[in-house]
């Protein structure tokens, strides 16, 4: 929707893009009911019939302006005010392609079936999505890649990227959707700070030459040096010194044993956000057998 959103404030244009991407990739159309504007928006996940969904997804992919036509034809309202800013991530400098991505939180109040709509449309593959899997944060993080089924936290098969792992480890702290929605709405007033994740390596211990890969984020004691080195040379830095005793932490460690994958250690509170759970916290309080 580049041509049509050039004159829009970035906050609106980005939300429109997020709504469009969700529909293109999953068939889920977010919309607000036209209730009292003075109250928090009542957000619905709208599902179309198979034929309508397929046709409109194709139209929206080919011409972004078709999204406005879709909402107009269905008598729906774009849910811009219901999408809360959650976080902003920038792809590390060593990657060939870099993406500056804003994550939004949307607390859905219910489903709305339109013109013979069916929930099965969200399982249909698209040009960008081969399959879709819905579950709780704990289920994603608990999955053992040695089991059959989808692989999410594996470092060798379809891994979660650092932003996904970090945000799941944040969201899991909220046992109820209503609690998470309330927090997201209140926290959004602080805005988001762009986080540029930096890949680094460190020696496992003094007697072992093997290197441990990790991602560093703003606030971590080692972040500044690693970020400057990465931006200047386009390469990863090897950390020196006793990095395991650092006091200021905002880093992701790539684990190899039980629950292999990406696990964060952080004691840096940023703009009203909660900390991600550590592997130790997850194993004790959230793991699903």
């Amino acid at each position: 929707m580049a041509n049509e959103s050039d004159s829009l404030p970035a906050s609106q244009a980005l939300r429109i893009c997020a709504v469009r991407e969700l529909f293109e990739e999953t068939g889920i159309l977010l919309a607000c009911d036209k209730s009292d504007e003075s109250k928090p928006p009542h957000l619905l996940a709208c599902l179309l019939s198979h034929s309508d969904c397929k046709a409109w997804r194709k139209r929206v992919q080919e011409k972004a302006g078709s999204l406005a036509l879709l909402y107009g034809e269905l008598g729906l309202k774009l849910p811009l005010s219901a999408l809360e800013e959650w976080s902003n991530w920038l792809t590390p400098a060593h990657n060939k392609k870099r993406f500056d991505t804003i994550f939004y939180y949307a607390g859905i109040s219910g489903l709305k079936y339109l013109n013979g709509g069916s929930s099965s449309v969200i399982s249909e593959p698209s040009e960008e999505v081969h399959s879709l899997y819905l579950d709780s944060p704990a289920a994603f993080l608990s999955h053992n890649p040695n089991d059959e089924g989808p692989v999410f936290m594996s470092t060798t098969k379809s891994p979660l990227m650092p932003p996904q792992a970090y945000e799941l480890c944040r969201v899991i702290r909220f046992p109820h959707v209503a609690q998470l929605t309330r927090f997201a709405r209140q926290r959004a007033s602080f805005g988001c700070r762009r986080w540029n994740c930096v890949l680094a390596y460190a020696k496992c211990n003094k007697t072992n030459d093997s290197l441990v890969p990790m991602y560093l984020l703003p606030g971590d004691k080692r972040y500044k040096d690693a970020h400057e080195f990465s931006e200047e040379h386009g390469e990863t830095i090897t950390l020196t010194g006793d990095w395991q005793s650092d006091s200021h932490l905002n880093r992701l460690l790539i684990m190899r044993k039980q629950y292999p994958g990406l696990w964060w250690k952080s004691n840096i509170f940023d703009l009203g956000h909660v900390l991600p759970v550590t592997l130790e916290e997850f194993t004790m309080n959230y793991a699903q057998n």
Side-chain angles (χ1 to χ4, degrees):
M1 196 172 281
N3 293 334
E4 298 183 20
S5 61
D6 284 344
S7 60
L8 291 175
S11 60
Q12 293 184 26
L14 290 170
R15 283 173 168 81
I16 292 173
C17 289
V19 171
R20 187 191 70 218
E21 284 288 310
L22 180 66
F23 178 66
E24 287 181 2
E25 297 183 4
T26 69
I28 298 173
L29 188 67
L30 296 182
C32 282
D33 62 2
K34 298 182 178 180
S35 56
D36 188 348
E37 295 288 343
S38 64
K39 298 180 180 179
H42 187 67
L43 185 62
L44 300 172
C46 301
L47 302 174
L48 283 65
S49 66
H50 283 272
S51 57
D52 285 348
C53 186
K54 183 177 181 180
W56 276 108
R57 286 169 81 174
K58 186 174 186 297
R59 289 180 63 179
V60 171
Q61 286 172 345
E62 293 176 350
K63 187 176 181 181
S66 298
L67 184 68
L69 298 177
L70 171 59
Y71 276 86
E73 183 168 311
L74 296 176
L76 300 174
K77 179 181 176 182
L78 272 166
L80 303 189
S81 61
L83 272 61
E84 308 292 355
E85 284 188 6
W86 183 264
S87 61
N88 182 190
W89 291 74
L90 179 64
T91 307
H94 70 272
N95 287 58
K96 293 182 179 179
K97 289 186 178 181
R98 303 187 73 182
F99 300 93
D100 188 357
T101 305
I102 289 187
F103 287 78
Y104 292 98
Y105 173 79
I108 297 172
S109 301
L111 297 176
K112 186 173 185 177
Y113 297 92
L114 301 171
N115 304 328
S118 169
S119 58
S120 61
V121 298
I122 63 176
S123 63
E124 293 184 345
S126 66
E127 293 183 5
E128 298 182 56
V129 177
H130 179 267
S131 61
L132 184 66
Y133 181 80
L134 305 177
D135 214 322
S136 66
F140 279 90
L141 297 172
S142 293
H143 184 80
N144 188 325
N146 294 322
D147 297 337
E148 295 181 358
V151 177
F152 300 103
M153 295 302 292
S154 169
T155 56
T156 58
K157 299 178 182 179
S158 303
L160 287 173
M161 294 295 101
Q164 298 165 324
Y166 197 100
E167 301 306 349
L168 280 173
C169 287
R170 272 176 167 168
V171 170
I172 199 174
R173 288 194 180 277
F174 298 89
H176 304 292
V177 172
Q179 183 183 2
L180 174 57
T181 300
R182 185 166 55 252
F183 170 81
R185 187 171 296 139
Q186 294 171 347
R187 195 227 61 83
S189 62
F190 292 97
C192 291
R193 195 191 319 275
R194 181 185 291 116
W195 276 7
N196 182 4
C197 199
V198 177
L199 178 64
Y201 292 93
K203 285 190 176 182
C204 188
N205 55 56
K206 295 180 180 179
T207 61
N208 191 335
D209 290 332
S210 63
L211 296 177
V212 176
M214 68 174 69
Y215 286 96
L216 303 173
L217 285 170
D220 192 281
K221 180 179 179 179
R222 308 284 175 153
Y223 177 79
K224 182 179 179 181
D225 290 342
H227 176 259
E228 291 177 353
F229 185 89
S230 176
E231 292 292 330
E232 181 178 351
H233 302 284
E235 300 176 356
T236 56
I237 191 173
T238 299
L239 305 181
T240 59
D242 187 10
W243 58 272
Q244 297 183 71
S245 298
D246 291 342
S247 57
H248 293 81
L249 305 175
N250 201 10
R251 60 185 60 167
L252 175 153
L253 304 177
I254 300 179
M255 312 301 290
R256 302 294 185 185
K257 297 181 180 180
Q258 187 183 21
Y259 304 116
L262 313 177
W263 291 95
W264 293 96
K265 284 191 174 182
S266 177
N267 55 19
I268 305 299
F269 289 92
D270 187 64
L271 298 177
H273 246 309
V274 294
L275 297 178
V277 298
T278 63
L279 177 58
E280 293 77 15
E281 288 179 287
F282 177 80
T283 304
M284 182 178 297
N285 301 316
Y286 304 100
Q288 296 183 355
N289 297 323

